[in-house]
Amino acid sequence: MSGIVIHLPQGSGGGADGEACGDAVTLRLGPGQRARFGRGSTSTPVELRLADAAISRLAGEIRAAEDHWQLSNHSTTHGYLVENPEGAGEYLRVPPRRAGAPIPFEFSRVVLPTRRDTTVSFQVFAPDHVYLDPRGMGGPGESRTLTAYSLDETATYFLVLVALCEPWLRDRSPVAVPTTPQVVERLRGHAARARLTARAVSSHIDYLADEKLRVGVPGAADTGRPDRRNGKREAVVGVALKFGIVREEHLALLPPGAEPAERAR
């Protein structure tokens, strides 16, 4: 398993003295690794700083396991919510002092209460959920076949992948993959994903490239390249089409009545 990704979007980490807290933060944890979150201090360092007076210096801890992740709530008074943004309102409540609560969602939003009219939240992309190959089911456990790429076709990241592949599937002879803003515009008519932002789409592309499809991006380590994300988009589209991960029937997942984004020039 490749571990988990924790993402704190810019401006989502609360605020101190009326000011929004810091830049976006992304952490990667391998199996067995931990990350602490909270208000933090010089004597209580945390990997994920959440600046709000209602949040403890050490509010909790996340631990990556082999096939899931666990949340420990160090607060003595506040429960935390773990929401499934991909589902139909499912959530878990992790009560105060609960240690090692297993979280089953592949994509989660951890929400902490505050004294203001807004909450503090961050996102967790779980370890890769593994699915059995339907053609290899029914035999003894040691003979069963796993899928090489375990993707959830109901997840937002898969919808983003379909939007990226759409010009090829519609045989429009594209000269470049759709840009992130074009993907945002293409999904604007989707009933459940209309509020997707460019930053969220970029996070899903990173997740596809780094965790789900495990693609190598030439030159991704170079610095000072404004187009370094282009390599990721091209790489995930290449893998998805070559191996039939995204097919013509998946176009039905996209919102109807909208033409694909214009080809990038």
Side-chain angles (χ1 to χ4, degrees):
M1 298 299 174
S2 55
I4 68 174
V5 177
I6 304 170
H7 179 64
L8 176 67
Q10 186 173 19
S12 297
D17 300 325
E19 297 294 330
C21 177
D23 297 327
V25 176
T26 300
L27 304 174
R28 298 180 181 276
L29 304 181
Q33 293 184 323
R34 304 168 185 264
R36 295 163 297 180
F37 60 90
R39 215 159 81 246
S41 68
T42 54
S43 59
T44 309
V46 293
E47 287 73 30
L48 198 65
R49 182 171 177 265
L50 307 174
D52 189 276
I55 296 176
S56 306
R57 295 290 183 186
L58 180 57
E61 180 180 87
I62 288 173
R63 178 182 180 274
E66 288 296 323
D67 59 355
H68 64 286
W69 60 280
Q70 300 170 350
L71 176 64
S72 294
N73 182 353
H74 292 174
S75 172
T76 59
T77 55
H78 294 150
Y80 303 153
L81 291 182
V82 183
E83 300 174 340
N84 176 17
E86 307 291 327
E90 298 95 340
Y91 69 90
L92 296 175
R93 178 178 177 273
V94 181
R97 304 183 306 281
R98 175 68 160 93
I103 308 301
F105 308 136
E106 188 170 11
F107 176 42
S108 305
R109 181 185 297 113
V110 180
V111 183
L112 284 69
T114 70
R115 292 177 61 87
R116 298 174 292 115
D117 58 355
T118 58
T119 56
V120 167
S121 65
F122 56 89
Q123 301 161 354
V124 181
F125 294 87
D128 191 19
H129 285 194
V130 176
Y131 295 87
L132 293 172
D133 187 327
R135 296 165 296 183
M137 295 180 64
E142 63 272 13
S143 69
R144 292 180 179 175
T145 304
L146 301 179
T147 57
Y149 301 109
S150 298
L151 277 73
D152 179 0
E153 295 184 5
T154 66
T156 301
Y157 65 75
F158 190 81
L159 189 65
V160 169
L161 182 59
V162 175
L164 289 171
C165 296
E166 183 183 21
W168 279 266
L169 295 173
R170 295 195 188 278
D171 194 23
R172 294 179 178 271
S173 301
V175 296
V177 296
T179 64
T180 297
Q182 287 172 332
V183 172
V184 172
E185 183 63 29
R186 180 65 182 93
L187 300 180
R188 195 175 303 280
H190 194 286
R193 307 289 184 259
R195 299 180 64 181
L196 269 180
T197 64
R199 185 178 296 275
V201 168
S202 294
S203 296
H204 286 297
I205 293 172
D206 287 341
Y207 185 55
L208 284 163
D210 300 339
E211 306 297 332
K212 304 301 287 185
L213 301 181
R214 306 178 297 280
V215 298
V217 181
D222 297 345
T223 57
R225 295 184 55 189
D227 62 340
R228 69 183 280 192
R229 194 175 298 276
N230 291 350
K232 284 191 175 182
R233 290 188 287 109
E234 293 167 355
V236 298
V237 168
V239 171
L241 294 176
K242 287 177 182 177
F243 290 97
I245 297 169
V246 177
R247 302 177 298 278
E248 188 174 349
E249 59 262 32
H250 291 128
L251 292 174
L253 298 173
L254 296 172
E259 289 298 316
E262 293 182 19
R263 292 183 294 168
R265 291 178 170 82

